[in-house]
Every structure is written in C-alpha cells, then in structure tokens.
Amino acid sequence: MFGYRVPAPDEAMLISGGRRGLGGAPFRVVTGHGKFVLPIFRKTRFLTLSMCESEVTETCVTKQGISLHVRAVIAFKVGNDTESIVNAGQRFLSDQDQMSILTGRIFAGHLRSIIGSMTVEEIVTERQKLAAEVLDTSKLEMAKIGLIVDSLQIQSIDDGDTGYIDAMSAPHKAAIQRQAQIAQAQATQASVEAEQVAARNQAEYARQTAIVKAQYSAEVDRAQAEAAQAGPLAQAHAQQEVLAAQTELAERAAQLRQQQLVAEIVRPAEAEAERIKVLAIADAERMKIQAEAAASHDRVALDRMLIDQLPLIVKEAAGGLAGANVNVLNGADGLGEIAAGLVAQGLTILDSVRQNLGGQNSENRAPKANAPLELQGYSRTQDTSVDGDDTEDGSARAN
C-alpha cells in the first residue's frame, strides 16, 4: 500500500519528521510491525539489529613487563530496547560499519588495561577470567552507544620470540611427554600382550583344530577298520557260537553218558556191594549166633559129661586111698570127713576144668574132646598117702 512501511525482523524503522520520538529523540522507533508513513512529509531509515562481529589484535604488556600478542573476537549488536536503538541510531545510522570499528577500539583499550594488571601465568591459565573482566569494564561504555556484547573470546596469546610461555609450559610439556611416553609404552606393551594373546589363541585354536582333525581321522580310520573287519568278525563270532553250541552239546552228551554209566555200572555195583555187605553182616551174625549156640551147647554137654564123670573121679580118688597108709582116728566120723574132702576136691576140680573150658570156648568157640581123658588121667595119676597118728584130741592127720 502506498506510504505503508514495515521493517524486517532484525531491523528497527526510524521515522523522522513530524513529532519527536521518545525522550526528545529526533525520530520515532518502530519494531515488529508496520507503520503508515506520509510521503514527502516523513522520512524512514532502517537500523540493523542483527549480530555483528569485531576482531581485536593487540600487543599488550603484562604485569611482569612481557609483551603479549592477544587476538580476541567480540560478538555484539544493538540493544532491543528503544533507548539503545535511539543511542545507536544517533551514532551509527549514517555509517553502520563504524559500529565494528568503534567496538574494536573500545575493547582493545580495556584489554590492554586488564592484561597490564595480570601475570602471564594468570592470562594463560585464566582466559575466562580475562574475558569476564573485559566485558565488565566495557559494559557501561557500550551501553552508552546503544550496543550490547553477547560474547568475548580470547583466541590466541603469543609472546613472540620471548619464549616465556614455552618455558612456562616446558615442565608441563615434559610431564605430558613423559605421560605420553608412558602411555605409549603401556600401549605398546598392551599391543604386544594382545599380539601374544592373539598368537597363543591362534596356536591354541590350531592345536585344537589339529586335535579335532586327528580325532576325526582316527574315528574315520577306526570306522573303516571296523567296516573291514565286520565280515571276518561276524564269521568268527558265528564260528565261535557254533563251537560253543557244539561244546555245550558235547558236555551234555558227556553228562548223559556219565549218568548212563552211573545208572548201568555204578548203581548196580553199589547195590551189589551193599547186598554183599548185608549178606556178610547177616552171615557173620548168623555165625556168631551159631558159635554162641555151639558154645552154649558145648558147655551144657561138658557140664553133663563132668557130672557124669564126677562119680568116677571120686571113685578114682577113693581108690587111690586104698593103697595108702591112712590112720583114721575118729572111726566112722573120720572116714566120713575124708570122703567129704574127696568129694569137695572133685567139685573143685570140676569147677576149674569148667572155667578153663569156658575160656577156651570164648577163644576157639569149640570144646576139647579129650577133656574127660585128662580128668581121668589126673585122677589116676594122683598119689595120695594117709598116715594116722594118735593125738590127744582123737583127730586124723594125713602125711
């Protein structure tokens, strides 16, 4: 629309002519919206509100008298408030490039002033402190010309050929180099150890691979050998089973033959032996019974024979007294005593003979046939003489 003007987002529109602006400024400030401007009667100009940059390269002397070449970069812009825009517009509207030049000069002066109060060590190690002090000292001055500083960066500090910074950094460089060498040595050692571990792992892997291959080869060889021996082994097993069956059959046949021999020979022989034993026992028992019966019969016959011979024995004894010189003192009583003594003597002889015959029968189980003859001989060969003398008591005495 004719006469309607709108500033850009990073610009401030300054309208001059007509009534004055804020604080008696010769123009009005419009930002962020448009404004109808009468042509011919009003005049519009635009002031940039965008970021500007200024570079400062300055030789400064420190508190120790050492010259330092300092390079810094300042980022600034016109303030967004109306007062800052009015201040900046009155100073830089016709030549806005002067803002960077003037800002560089202002910061160069403050930079020299602050570095002059610091040592090299402080400047090198505390650059942020240096920048903060420069900003603080220049803030009021920058506000007067409508500018605000967003940042100040100290890019480089160089002492030229003095070598002070290098000397100051030498211990640190040595320590850093030493640490670097240690780190390098550790890295080398770690690398060597890693290589050794890798070599050992590779050797172990190769060994395991060789072992596995050998095992596979052995299994293949064993399988091939077993396959090659399968037929002969099967035949040998079959023959072994046949031999085992034949052996078992032969053992069973031998056992059967042994049982047959036992049944045919041993059992009948044992039965015959048992029969003979029983017969022998029975025959011995029979002979014993017969012997005992014969002995008993002989004793009975002997007793009878002795009894039958007893009168003859007495008679022979009495006959022997016939030729003897016997004096009978008591008459009939004395003669009776002699006869009684002869009978008693015959009975004693009978008992002795019976005992002797009993002992011989226990040994020979048979009596002697000539016993009566011996008894007869004994009775016949006995010589008895009786002589009687008178005694005071009238008894008979035999000499």
Side-chain angles (χ1 to χ4, degrees), residues 262-334:
V262 170
E264 293 176 358
I265 298 175
V266 177
R267 296 303 182 191
E270 289 179 354
E272 182 64 21
E274 188 67 23
R275 187 182 67 81
I276 293 172
K277 181 179 178 181
V278 172
L279 290 176
I281 293 172
D283 188 55
E285 189 68 24
R286 180 180 60 79
M287 292 178 66
K288 180 180 178 181
I289 294 172
Q290 289 178 356
E292 291 178 355
S296 178
H297 183 270
D298 291 340
R299 285 195 299 273
V300 173
L302 179 60
D303 291 341
R304 287 182 180 181
M305 183 180 65
L306 291 175
I307 292 171
D308 292 339
Q309 295 294 328
L310 181 60
L312 182 59
I313 294 170
V314 174
K315 182 179 178 181
E316 291 293 333
L321 292 176
N325 187 12
V326 177
N327 295 321
V328 179
L329 298 179
N330 293 333
D333 293 334

Side-chain angles (χ1 to χ4, degrees), residues 141-170:
E141 190 173 356
M142 293 291 289
K144 289 179 180 180
I145 59 177
L147 301 176
I148 59 175
V149 179
D150 288 339
S151 67
L152 171 63
Q153 296 294 329
I154 307 298
Q155 292 186 344
S156 64
I157 299 175
D158 185 13
D159 60 352
D161 297 333
T162 306
Y164 186 90
I165 297 177
D166 292 336
M168 183 180 65
S169 62

Side-chain angles (χ1 to χ4, degrees), residues 3-16:
Y4 190 78
R5 306 294 298 271
V6 178
D10 58 349
E11 289 180 340
M13 185 173 62
L14 306 179
I15 303 172
S16 60

